Amino acid sequence: MSMIKDEIKDLITNHTIEIEELNEQTCLRIRKVINELYVDKEKKGLWLWEKLIRFNYISDNNGWSYIKEFVLDSACIMFFNEFDEKAMYKIKNGVDLNYLLSETSGFEFYITDLNYSYLICFNHHDILYGCGNAIKWIDSLKNDDRS
C-alpha cells in the first residue's frame, strides 16, 4: 500500500468523516473521462497537471484550503497521479475534504465532481489549478488577493 492510501485509510478508521474508496472499474472510467475532457495528449510531462488544457491557476501554499469553498456541500472525487496512487475516493462534501487534507501530509491531488464539470489540482509547487467550471473560481481567488 502507498503512503497516501495508508494515511487516508487511517483517517477513515479513526474519524467520522465519510470517505468511500472507489472500485477499480470506476477509477478507470474516471481517469478516461478526465483525460478526454482536460488533458492534451500531445503535451509531454510526467504529471497530469503538466498536460492540462484550458486552465487557470494561482500560486499559494494555502491553496489546498480554498477548495472547500468551491466544493461546498457537494460530493467530490479525490485522486492522484497514477504512479503515486491508483486508488480514488468519493468524499461527502467540502468540509470532509478539507478535514482530510488538513490531517494528512502534503501530497499532490486532484478533485472533480460526480459530473466531471471541473478539475482542481494542488501540486507539489503549491499551485492550485482549475479547469472547467473551476476556471472562474480561480479568477475570483486572484481578485481576492489571496495569491
Side-chain angles (χ1 to χ4, degrees):
M1 219 179 309
S2 77
M3 177 197 74
I4 295 171
K5 192 169 188 172
D6 287 343
E7 282 192 62
I8 292 173
K9 285 202 175 283
D10 183 56
L11 195 69
I12 293 169
T13 303
N14 296 315
H15 298 86
T16 59
I17 62 174
E18 293 185 35
I19 302 170
E20 172 191 348
E21 185 173 350
L22 302 176
N23 68 48
E24 185 178 351
Q25 286 301 100
T26 301
C27 294
L28 291 171
R29 186 182 75 247
I30 291 168
R31 283 198 194 277
K32 182 176 188 265
V33 172
I34 292 298
N35 281 314
E36 289 170 359
L37 292 173
Y38 300 112
V39 174
D40 182 343
K41 291 153 194 60
E42 301 299 316
K43 286 186 178 178
K44 303 290 182 221
L46 184 60
W47 295 283
L48 182 66
W49 55 264
E50 292 180 296
K51 300 178 272 186
L52 295 176
I53 54 175
R54 295 182 305 277
F55 63 89
N56 203 345
Y57 69 93
I58 62 169
S59 178
D60 187 325
N61 62 341
N62 291 315
W64 63 269
S65 68
Y66 308 147
I67 300 170
K68 68 181 175 291
E69 301 166 14
F70 186 80
V71 172
L72 297 173
D73 291 330
S74 299
C76 64
I77 298 165
M78 174 186 243
F79 64 100
F80 315 91
N81 291 302
E82 198 168 5
F83 55 83
D84 287 331
E85 176 57 64
K86 292 185 186 310
M88 294 185 181
Y89 299 91
K90 180 179 173 188
I91 302 167
K92 181 180 175 181
N93 56 40
V95 172
D96 284 0
L97 172 64
N98 191 69
Y99 185 77
L100 182 151
L101 294 173
S102 68
E103 294 296 316
T104 52
S105 63
F107 43 73
E108 198 160 281
F109 63 88
Y110 301 85
I111 304 294
T112 191
D113 63 344
L114 303 181
N115 296 316
Y116 317 108
S117 70
Y118 67 83
L119 178 66
I120 296 171
C121 170
F122 189 69
N123 74 10
H124 64 274
H125 297 291
D126 295 335
I127 298 176
L128 180 65
Y129 290 89
C131 299
N133 290 343
I135 290 174
K136 288 183 182 177
W137 171 65
I138 297 291
D139 273 337
S140 72
L141 294 176
K142 288 179 179 181
N143 293 333
D144 285 348
D145 290 329
R146 293 187 197 199
S147 58

